[in-house]
Each structure stands twice: as structure tokens, then as C-alpha cells.
């Protein structure tokens, strides 16, 4: 990547792509400060809206991992607005997961739930049943952790009904485990055990 970047210094249209790929690899390797610096260079050199939004997203995630959470949330929200402007629903779904994680780290449960609700709406828009089932699972977990057992039960039940239609074992197991936890904590031990065994 360094060699490629060097070769592309005078090709401004290609440089942001190389830098964003480099930043992503560094992020995946846990090199958050280095990834942040490279992603910021993408914003400095200029790029099309999609690459710029992606670089913003990488910057936001790096800030969160570096415990600069409020700056991370602000940057992720900027990227989200950019993705909304270009109507990139897949990227909106991904960045909402990033925001859910950031708000969770900040202990902001209202915005954690808001992100999860929006993930459900985007998954419906994309007509992606697996993603929709996972979004219900995530929201159900958030509601469970917040002590909203009745809402958690209803949300997870919706996820289970969706996942049955697509025969996705991993998502089904995760939903049933979460459902078992809700039932256990509302003293329905027999039904909870059935979920764990299933």
C-alpha cells in the first residue's frame, strides 16, 4: 500500500481510495491512531461524497476506540448524514451499528435504542430479512439490558418469526438464547430451558 500510495501522489482521484483502504486495514489490525491519521488525510486531499463519507466513518470509529467517544459520535453522525444525502442504505445500516456501539460505550441508552430502531427501518427498506432479524435481536437485547422485559420479549418474538422463514441457524440460535434470558428473568424457567435446548 505504501508503494501504491507513493505512485499515486499525483493522481488525486485514486489517492483517496488507496488511503481509505489503508486506514481500514489499520483499523482492523487495531492500529486506531494510525488509522485515524490516514483516514483524516482522505478528508484533506478531497474525495467524492461516498469515499469522504467512508473516511468520516473510519475516523468516527477510531475516535470511539480511542475513547474520544463524543467526537466519534459527532463524526459518525456527519458520515450518516452524508450517506443519507447520497441514499446509500447499505452504508446507513452499517454506520447505525457503529453508532449503537458508540452510544453503548457512552452509556446513552436512549440513543442506543434509537439507532437499533432505525436499523430495523433500514433493514425493512432493503428487504433484507436476515439483517432485519439481527436488528430485532439487537433491539431486544438492548431492551432486555434496560429491564424492559415485555418489550424485549415482543421484539425478539418478531425476530424469531422472521428468521424461521429464512432458515438461518446462527441468527435463530442467538435469538432463542436472548429469548431464553428474557423468560428466565421473568421467572418462566421451563420455557427458558426449552429455548436454551432448542
Amino acid at each position: 500500500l505504501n508503494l501504491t500510495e507513493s505512485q499515486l501522489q499525483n493522481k488525486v482521484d485514486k489517492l483517496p481510495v488507496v488511503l481509505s483502504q489503508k486506514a481500514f486495514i489499520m483499523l482492523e489490525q487495531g492500529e486506531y491512531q494510525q488509522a485515524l491519521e490516514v483516514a483524516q488525510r482522505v478528508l484533506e486531499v478531497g474525495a467524492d461524497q461516498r469515499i469522504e463519507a467512508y473516511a468520516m466513518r473510519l475516523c468516527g470509529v477510531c475516535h470511539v476506540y480511542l475513547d474520544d467517544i463524543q467526537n466519534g459520535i459527532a463524526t459518525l453522525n456527519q458520515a450518516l448524514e452524508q450517506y443519507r444525502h447520497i441514499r446509500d442504505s447499505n452504508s446507513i445500516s452499517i454506520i447505525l451499528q457503529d453508532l449503537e456501539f458508540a452510544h453503548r460505550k457512552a452509556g446513552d441508552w436512549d440513543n442506543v435504542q434509537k439507532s437499533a430502531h432505525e436499523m430495523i427501518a433500514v433493514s425493512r427498506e432493503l428487504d433484507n430479512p436476515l439483517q432485519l432479524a439481527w436488528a430485532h435481536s439487537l433491539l431486544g437485547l438492548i431492551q432486555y439490558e434496560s429491564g424492559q422485559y415485555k418489550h424485549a420479549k415482543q421484539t425478539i418474538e418478531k425476530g424469531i418469526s422472521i428468521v424461521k422463514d429464512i432458515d438461518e441457524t446462527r441468527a435463530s440460535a442467538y435469538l432463542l438464547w436472548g429469548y431464553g434470558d428474557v423468560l428466565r428473568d421473568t421467572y418462566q424457567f421451563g420455557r427458558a430451558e426449552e429455548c436454551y435446548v432448542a
Side-chain angles (χ1 to χ4, degrees):
L1 279 174
N2 286 331
L3 177 62
T4 308
E5 180 182 337
S6 173
Q7 291 171 336
L8 293 171
Q9 285 295 330
N10 296 320
K11 297 183 179 179
V12 179
D13 59 327
K14 299 293 183 184
L15 182 58
V17 176
V18 173
L19 289 174
S20 61
Q21 290 171 345
K22 184 176 181 179
F24 174 74
I25 291 167
M26 288 176 164
L27 175 61
E28 289 290 293
Q29 292 174 340
E31 300 170 1
Y32 305 124
Q33 186 59 50
Q34 297 93 321
L36 175 60
E37 291 167 7
V38 174
Q40 285 172 332
R41 283 195 59 208
V42 176
L43 302 176
E44 289 166 8
V45 300
D48 67 34
Q49 287 186 319
R50 193 175 301 277
I51 297 295
E52 188 175 84
Y54 182 62
M56 278 185 206
R57 180 198 160 223
L58 294 176
C59 286
V61 173
C62 288
H63 281 306
V64 172
Y65 276 113
L66 290 166
D67 291 324
D68 186 5
I69 298 173
Q70 291 310 314
N71 198 8
I73 289 170
T75 307
L76 287 169
N77 275 317
Q78 280 184 292
L80 178 60
E81 287 310 307
Q82 190 111 321
Y83 280 129
R84 283 180 174 146
H85 179 70
I86 59 179
R87 299 182 179 181
D88 184 342
S89 296
N90 281 307
S91 295
I92 288 170
S93 177
I94 292 166
I95 209 164
L96 285 169
Q97 294 174 51
D98 296 329
L99 276 165
E100 184 275 332
F101 172 67
H103 288 305
R104 185 184 287 269
K105 281 199 77 170
D108 184 351
W109 292 101
D110 286 343
N111 274 313
V112 168
Q113 287 207 39
K114 183 181 173 185
S115 295
H117 277 291
E118 194 168 350
M119 283 168 59
I120 288 174
V122 172
S123 299
R124 282 199 185 104
E125 180 186 321
L126 291 169
D127 194 23
N128 185 330
L130 178 57
Q131 187 170 300
L132 183 59
W134 278 114
H136 276 88
S137 175
L138 175 62
L139 178 58
L141 174 64
I142 293 163
Q143 291 168 331
Y144 165 71
E145 290 175 346
S146 303
Q148 302 172 44
Y149 298 124
K150 181 180 178 182
H151 291 300
K153 185 171 178 286
Q154 292 170 344
T155 301
I156 294 171
E157 283 172 347
K158 286 179 187 173
I160 290 170
S161 68
I162 294 165
V163 87
K164 277 181 179 174
D165 294 334
I166 56 174
D167 192 29
E168 171 55 48
T169 306
R170 185 166 171 252
S172 179
Y174 195 78
L175 282 155
L176 285 168
W177 188 272
Y179 196 47
D181 286 350
V182 174
L183 293 170
R184 179 199 63 204
D185 288 359
T186 51
Y187 308 105
Q188 300 175 64
F189 300 114
R191 291 185 64 201
E193 186 176 351
E194 288 173 8
C195 289
Y196 293 142
V197 170

